[in-house]
Amino acid sequence: MPINILAIESSCDDTSAAVISDGQVMSNITATQEIHAAYGGVVPEWASRKHQTHIVPVVQSAMEKAGISLQELDAIAFTRGPGLLGSLIVGVTFAKGLALALDIPLIEVHHMHAHVLSHFADDPKPEFPFLCLTVSGGHTEIILMRNYLEMEVLGKTIDDAAGEAFDKTGKILGLPYPSGPIIDQLAQKGNPQFTFPMPVVEGLNFSFSGLKTSILYFLKKEMKKDDQFISHHLNDICASVQRAIVNILEKKLIKAFEVTGIREIAIAGGVSANSALRKTLTKTAQELNWNLYIPKLELCTDNAAMIGIAAWYKYLEGIFSDHSVTPEAKYSKIY
Ligand code: KG4
Ligand code: ZN
């Protein structure tokens, strides 16, 4: 009999449930919350309320699609953190209640660990040790994975995350939230003709707040000369901003390769859906002889399949959580 795990993800504004059987993804259903688009960012109060609305139907459709009954489940996995507390509480409480009712174990999962392990939801799978550039709305990290459960952060952002750089620039440009995918689309029709200074940050750490400030000053200056500058040059501005962000990420990933000598290189998280990042790193991988792993689009942004995959490797090691487990907005350990 296969081991069936129901996984729940509710750390930010996506409510997702997935069923994993012996490490294979049987279903992965996500309800995205459109309500935040008009506010320029996730409104925490709305996010938790929407999770409350979505969680039961999302879990039901994940179970139906997998063709598995509640009685056939062997464990319930959930995102313990990091994330928005009010959002996490919905998933954690739902998972606890169901695990208690079914008398099966609970498995807590670290959201960023899950992003990295999303590579094991699909083929080809990276070999250990590998590097993973993990880029999302809340995180930008270069991670060294020694095995499924040993994760070392080699570098991280000292201020904004890469996704935040996209989203905050989008807000300045008057684009809805999340702006990353919109900037990606508009950039495809533009030329990266505007340049912004590269941040100087030590080691494998990143910084994006200076870029945001220089974009803001640049736009203010240009708007003084032409008050329609943004609408006249929107595609080119998007292409230029995107190129600046991709350059920062690429530069540090090359440095991580030089420092560690590791050629197994993966990218993960919402920003790994960015077409320019995917294209640029594919070219870099050819030039530097890397084995590059890029997740398929539905595994880049938040989803429960990745939570279930991370939980599967914890299940194999017998790592479970007790029923007093609480959500952690700044959760840092992976087991
Ligand atoms: O991993 P994710 O779904 O949620 C977090 O854990 O934060 O990442 C969401 C982030 C948002 O900042 C969003 O703008 C960005 O990923 N994103 C993109 C693209 N798709 C999503 N950024 C650039 N280009 C994209 N195609
Ligand atoms: Zn995420």
Side-chain angles (χ1 to χ4, degrees):
M1 288 288 277
I3 299 299
N4 299 318
I5 300 175
L6 169 67
I8 291 158
E9 154 65 30
S10 73
S11 64
C12 190
D13 58 343
D14 292 307
T15 320
S16 187
V19 176
I20 310 297
S21 296
D22 278 350
Q24 299 290 320
V25 181
M26 308 305 286
S27 63
N28 184 27
I29 307 286
T30 303
T32 302
Q33 305 178 357
E34 310 294 344
I35 190 157
H36 309 286
Y39 295 92
V42 175
V43 184
E45 169 84 19
W46 272 120
S48 43
R49 283 171 186 272
K50 288 286 169 189
H51 284 305
Q52 288 285 3
T53 313
H54 292 155
I55 194 147
V56 171
V58 162
V59 167
Q60 280 171 339
S61 41
M63 295 298 293
E64 262 167 44
K65 181 149 190 233
I68 283 169
S69 70
L70 287 175
Q71 285 64 36
E72 289 172 291
L73 290 175
D74 297 284
I76 311 280
F78 62 93
T79 306
R80 184 172 176 195
L84 298 170
L85 197 63
S87 291
L88 292 164
I89 282 175
V90 180
V92 175
T93 310
F94 185 93
K96 278 203 224 184
L98 195 55
L100 206 59
L102 297 172
D103 195 23
I104 55 176
L106 269 175
I107 305 173
E108 68 193 68
V109 171
H110 184 291
H111 183 80
M112 300 315 290
H113 181 213
H115 269 302
V116 177
L117 292 194
S118 64
H119 285 282
F120 296 89
D122 204 8
D123 284 321
K125 298 173 172 51
E127 280 177 24
F128 295 105
F130 69 89
L131 297 177
C132 188
L133 171 72
T134 314
V135 270
S136 71
H139 289 79
T140 298
E141 293 173 343
I142 295 180
I143 289 169
L144 166 60
M145 287 307 286
R146 293 207 170 80
N147 55 48
Y148 293 111
L149 300 179
E150 258 185 89
M151 163 171 141
E152 188 188 335
V153 179
L154 301 181
K156 60 181 181 183
T157 182
I158 56 167
D159 41 57
D160 291 348
E164 251 178 310
F166 274 107
D167 297 335
K168 287 182 175 172
T169 307
K171 197 171 178 179
I172 299 171
L173 297 174
L175 301 173
Y177 175 86
S179 306
I182 302 167
I183 291 179
D184 188 347
Q185 290 282 315
L186 297 175
Q188 288 173 29
K189 294 178 272 175
N191 287 318
Q193 57 158 313
F194 309 117
T195 49
F196 303 104
M198 280 285 268
V200 183
V201 193
E202 269 187 32
L204 297 176
N205 288 337
F206 299 87
S207 168
F208 290 97
S209 67
L211 175 65
K212 184 190 63 195
T213 311
S214 54
I215 293 166
L216 191 64
Y217 284 138
F218 166 76
L219 292 174
K220 273 192 180 157
K221 198 178 86 204
E222 295 300 327
M223 292 289 273
K224 269 192 192 150
K225 293 185 253 166
D226 167 10
D227 64 0
Q228 297 299 306
F229 182 80
I230 292 182
S231 53
H232 288 159
H233 298 278
L234 187 59
N235 296 343
D236 289 358
I237 299 168
C238 288
S240 306
V241 167
Q242 178 172 270
R243 191 190 55 178
I245 296 172
V246 169
N247 280 352
I248 294 172
L249 296 172
E250 186 204 20
K251 191 174 157 218
K252 287 295 164 112
L253 196 52
I254 293 177
K255 195 163 183 184
F257 158 66
E258 287 168 353
V259 170
T260 61
I262 295 173
R263 290 177 190 279
E264 291 285 302
I265 297 183
I267 58 172
V271 180
S272 66
N274 183 265
S275 61
L277 181 66
R278 294 163 87 96
K279 207 161 135 193
T280 302
L281 292 183
T282 302
K283 194 160 163 272
T284 312
Q286 278 162 1
E287 286 164 9
L288 298 179
N289 208 10
W290 295 351
N291 296 324
L292 181 70
Y293 301 87
I294 300 181
K296 43 179 193 198
L297 288 177
E298 66 261 36
L299 291 171
C300 291
T301 44
D302 289 348
N303 66 88
M306 67 182 192
I307 305 300
I309 293 292
W312 165 243
Y313 291 105
K314 293 182 99 171
Y315 185 98
L316 293 177
E317 297 296 323
I319 304 169
F320 300 111
S321 313
D322 65 44
H323 288 129
S324 61
V325 64
T326 51
E328 295 293 336
K330 295 198 187 304
Y331 188 49
S332 60
K333 66 184 179 66
I334 62 169
Y335 62 89

